[in-house]
Structures are given as C-alpha cells and as structure tokens.
Amino acid sequence: MATVVVVGAQWGDEGKGKVIDYLAKDSDIVARYQGGNNAGHTVVVGEEKYVLHLIPCGILRPDKKCIIGNGVVLSLKALFEEIDHLRQRGIYVGDNLSISDRTHLIMPYHILLESVDESIRGAKKIGTTGKGIGPVYMDKAGRSGIRVGDLLDCGVFEEKLDFNLNEKARILGESEEWIESTKAEILKEYQVYADRIKPFVADTSLILNEAIKAGKNVLCESAQGTLLDVDFGTYPYITSNNPTAGGVCTGLGIGPTAIDRVLGVVKAYVTRVGEGPFPTEFPPDMSERIRLRGEEFGATTGRPRRCGWFDAVIVRYAARINGFKSIALTKLDILDEVDPIKICTEYKYNGKRLTEFPSQSDILKDCEPVYESMDGWLTDVSEIERYDDLPENAKKYIERISQLSGIKVELVAVGARRDRIITVK
C-alpha cells in the first residue's frame, strides 16, 4: 500500500503528466488535488497525444479510478469538452471518474473579473491564463463561492447566483439589466451541466479514505509547480492555491499521516510561462533553440515558455518545502545537442552568496546565477532503456543534479512517449 504525491519542483510544465501516467500503471486511484483548467498535462501513448486539463492522467488507463478533489476549481464547460473529446477518441469516461461535491465552480463572471484585473495591472500584470482561476479562489476564501453540490439544488444555486451577480455588478459597474440577462444565460446553461454532472458527484474524501484504509495505491496529482504556490512561490507571480505537497490534505480531504512518499518532478532545464523573475533564463537565441526542440509552448494557452539553465537553488528549495524522497528528471533528451551544459549552483546578490532561495521576488530579480559547466553528451538518448547505457556525460549530469539537490534521482525521462522512462538503480 502506498499514497504517493507527485509535485512539480519548478514553475510548472516539468512533465508531471508523463510521470503520473507512468506511475498510474501501479496505482488504483489517481486524484487531482488543486488548480483548474489553467493547467495542461500531456501524455503520449504510441502515436497518440493527449492533453488533459482537469481529468487526472489515470483516465488513459482503463482500470484506474480517477478523482477530481475539492481543492480543484472546475470549469464545467471545459470539463464536458474534455470528457466528450476523450470519448470521441475511444477513452472510457463514466463510473471511473468521481468529482467532489465540495469542488468550487468557475463561473463566467470569474473570467470577466480576471480579464479586468489584468488590464488594471498594466505593466505589472501577472500573466495569467485568463481562465478565471484567481477570482474563483477569491470567492472560495471569501465564502461566497458556488460549489458542485449547490448546482444540484436549484433553489440554493439560484440564491447564491443572485448574491454573486449583485456583488460582481457592483465591482464591474454593471447595470441591473446586465444582472438579469447574465442570470438568465447562466441558469439555462448550468441546468444542462447539472444534469450531466450528477452521475459523477460523490463524497470523494470518503472514497479516498476508505481506499487507503483498504490498502489501495493512491496517486495524488498536482498542477503547476512549487514556485507558483500562493505561499511559497515567486509572489505575486504565482497561482492562487497550493500545488505543493501541503495542498494534498486540504485538496483531497486526507490526513498527512496517509501520505507515504512525495516525488518531485524536475525538468533537465527550467521553463516558466508569464511574468516574473527568472535568474537562469537563456538569451533569446538559445531560448528559441530549446523552445523549438522541446516543444516548449503552453499546453493550455499555446504561449511560448521562457527557457533557462537548470537551477539547483530552486530544486533544493522545492525539496525542502515538499519533503521530496526522490526526483523524476524529465526531458533529458532535449539537451542531447547542447555542449557545454551549465548548472546554477548558487546566486550572487549585492556581492553576497545566496545558497538558499530568496522569499522576495524583488530580491530574486536582482540575483546573478553562479554556474558550473559540464561537458555535454552529444548523443541521441531517446531510445535508451537502461541507465547504464546512457552516455557517461549524461550520467554525470544526472548525478550532479542529485548531489546539488540533495535528493536521489529515481526516474529519468528520455523521450515524449509514455514508455521513455528509465529507472535509476
């Protein structure tokens, strides 16, 4: 029996979907515990490519139970588009998926509010995906959110909708006419959603706790990464929730003593999307080279990702915050043609050495990375199946990452397909 948490150690896009899909083969349940459809997990099965935004990656394995936990925020439009798309491609979605009745709903006004907020921020915008994630978490914390369970009671849903539309109209400067027309549109659309979602709704905390008690293997799936955590990320350039391991308990309704292991997912280089400091960012020509080779474009928005050298300061920090027991290193093959390869070991700030990640983004933006250089391997590793068969310089790079991070590298991904993962012995 094991309950394993998979967490991104950087700014998201580390390849968690591939790792979760790989681990799902030995799991009974795969449960998503936070975030919304601002995330995208990509899994390549043979020649087929799947991008999942809300449904856990375990859905691609027919004998697995999938759960969307209460910590997730749910766009019902995006959910049913995803379900329909999977079914069209021959993937079964039915009684293998359960959704918490406590999950908060992303409403149309949340998307509008986020757009207005980004516009007001101007040059200091966060660079959000525009999916309404921040505003729905604000409503959740402000105790005015609408949850899946509310949708199943017409009276409760309408009462909460009235309150929210009046409040949002005041914030946006909208009229009574806007309130009435928006309400009519939402009631019509969401009644259809209520009928469709009802078979999936359950007390998922109870399901998970009973499964853990029965000795089942549970895999907890995160979105985004440690440096986007609302508490421990590069604030304010973060998401609105806790992708770190601490979010598992509140996002799924399981106790901390139920967690057996936390696995950190680390890309062999670093990427980030949107605004915010990025000490090891490549110059434009190198960034474009890696971006094209690694297909570094957002799975949700298509935005080009910023790319940079591996940053050991970040991974040490993520290991401490999350309690990593081991690391899965992804996209090693993208560095096949790079020589030399740099690793950031520490920062310089105002003439001083920083070996720990600073808590303030204003400090991080002025940090200068200190690099050590390693020889590249200049060999295609994408078809290698055993760790011992990797080029010596590739193994040296992996071992150096382990040394600098203080955490053992357990898995290495050397290609996009689901079977391109090597176990490190």
Side-chain angles (χ1 to χ4, degrees):
M1 183 278 287
T3 299
V4 177
V5 181
V6 177
V7 178
Q10 296 155 324
W11 277 288
D13 307 311
E14 300 94 348
K16 294 183 295 298
K18 177 183 177 65
V19 174
I20 292 159
D21 171 72
Y22 177 80
L23 297 174
K25 69 183 190 300
D26 299 318
S27 302
D28 299 296
I29 296 176
V30 183
R32 170 86 176 269
Y33 65 86
Q34 50 74 229
N37 62 314
N38 56 334
H41 287 166
T42 302
V43 180
V44 180
V45 182
E47 300 301 317
E48 294 290 320
K49 181 178 180 180
Y50 299 89
V51 180
L52 300 164
H53 299 283
L54 287 164
I55 299 175
C57 296
I59 203 73
L60 301 177
R61 296 186 180 272
D63 57 338
K64 309 304 174 185
K65 175 73 173 177
C66 291
I67 285 175
I68 295 176
N70 59 277
V72 176
V73 289
L74 199 60
S75 163
L76 293 176
K77 182 176 185 293
L79 172 70
F80 292 118
E81 285 177 351
E82 193 164 302
I83 289 173
D84 291 343
H85 180 69
L86 287 168
R87 286 173 172 171
Q88 288 165 12
R89 298 180 69 178
I91 304 299
Y92 176 72
V93 185
D95 58 4
N96 56 342
L97 175 66
S98 292
I99 300 170
S100 172
D101 56 355
R102 295 179 172 91
T103 300
H104 279 251
L105 298 177
I106 300 173
M107 305 297 290
Y109 48 77
H110 291 131
I111 297 169
L112 178 59
L113 285 165
E114 187 163 62
S115 175
V116 170
D117 182 68
E118 283 284 84
S119 178
I120 291 170
R121 289 175 183 269
K124 293 188 177 181
K125 66 181 180 179
I126 304 302
T128 72
T129 59
K131 303 293 185 181
I133 307 299
V136 72
Y137 276 111
M138 289 172 66
D139 277 1
K140 179 178 179 177
R143 296 165 292 185
S144 61
I146 300 176
R147 306 197 297 184
V148 167
D150 301 325
L151 184 62
L152 302 183
D153 185 318
C154 294
V156 171
F157 180 73
E158 187 170 355
E159 180 183 346
K160 291 193 173 186
L161 181 61
D162 283 338
F163 175 84
N164 275 279
L165 287 175
N166 279 281
E167 180 190 45
K168 272 51 173 183
R170 178 179 55 80
I171 294 169
L172 295 167
E174 294 287 356
S175 65
E176 187 70 30
E177 183 181 352
W178 177 86
I179 294 173
E180 292 303 318
S181 63
T182 303
K183 177 181 176 180
E185 290 172 5
I186 290 174
L187 287 176
K188 181 179 179 181
E189 180 181 5
Y190 278 68
Q191 182 56 57
V192 177
Y193 293 152
D195 293 338
R196 286 200 69 182
I197 202 170
K198 190 173 182 179
F200 299 107
V201 179
D203 184 343
T204 55
S205 171
L206 179 61
I207 292 172
L208 284 164
N209 279 280
E210 288 182 343
I212 292 168
K213 192 174 182 179
K216 301 291 187 181
N217 293 322
V218 176
L219 186 61
C220 304
E221 175 178 336
S222 69
Q224 291 95 27
T226 297
L227 296 187
L228 294 176
D229 187 271
V230 68
D231 290 300
F232 292 100
T234 48
Y235 193 90
Y237 304 100
I238 43 85
T239 192
S240 303
N241 55 86
N242 297 107
T244 46
V248 173
C249 299
T250 54
L252 291 176
I254 61 175
T257 54
I259 298 170
D260 297 290
R261 185 164 68 96
V262 182
L263 173 70
V265 184
V266 179
K267 195 178 286 184
Y269 47 99
V270 186
T271 61
R272 86 170 293 177
V273 175
E275 309 300 320
F278 187 175
T280 67
E281 188 169 10
F282 292 138
D285 57 339
M286 181 65 174
S287 193
E288 184 68 5
R289 176 185 171 191
I290 296 298
R291 183 182 299 123
L292 292 174
R293 181 170 169 79
E295 299 183 6
E296 295 295 354
F297 299 90
T300 301
T301 63
R303 290 186 295 179
R305 295 171 185 149
R306 300 156 63 190
C307 304
W309 296 113
F310 185 88
D311 190 332
V313 182
I314 285 174
V315 179
R316 283 197 299 268
Y317 173 72
R320 169 164 60 88
I321 295 300
N322 293 287
F324 294 156
K325 294 297 184 183
S326 57
I327 285 172
L329 183 70
T330 65
K331 290 202 165 185
L332 185 72
D333 55 305
I334 305 305
L335 300 181
D336 282 352
E337 299 176 0
V338 179
D339 185 37
I341 298 173
K342 295 181 181 180
I343 297 181
C344 172
T345 58
E346 59 185 51
Y347 302 145
K348 283 184 181 177
Y349 175 72
N350 285 346
K352 298 179 181 179
R353 293 175 60 227
L354 285 184
T355 57
E356 296 296 334
F357 191 73
S359 60
Q360 302 298 319
S361 290
D362 286 341
I363 294 176
L364 185 64
K365 71 179 176 60
D366 293 325
C367 284
E368 177 186 347
V370 176
Y371 291 115
E372 64 178 48
S373 187
M374 302 187 71
D375 293 333
W377 45 94
L378 301 178
T379 303
D380 181 1
V381 301
S382 62
E383 297 300 323
I384 292 175
E385 298 180 352
R386 296 173 62 251
Y387 183 74
D388 289 344
D389 294 335
L390 286 170
E392 284 303 313
N393 286 345
K395 287 189 284 189
K396 286 179 181 178
Y397 184 64
I398 294 166
E399 289 159 10
R400 187 60 178 144
I401 284 173
S402 180
Q403 290 168 359
L404 290 168
S405 305
I407 305 292
K408 173 182 169 56
V409 175
E410 175 185 348
L411 301 171
V412 179
V414 294
R417 299 198 314 269
R418 70 164 25 158
D419 61 342
R420 297 292 83 201
I421 290 186
I422 296 171
T423 301
V424 181
K425 297 179 180 179

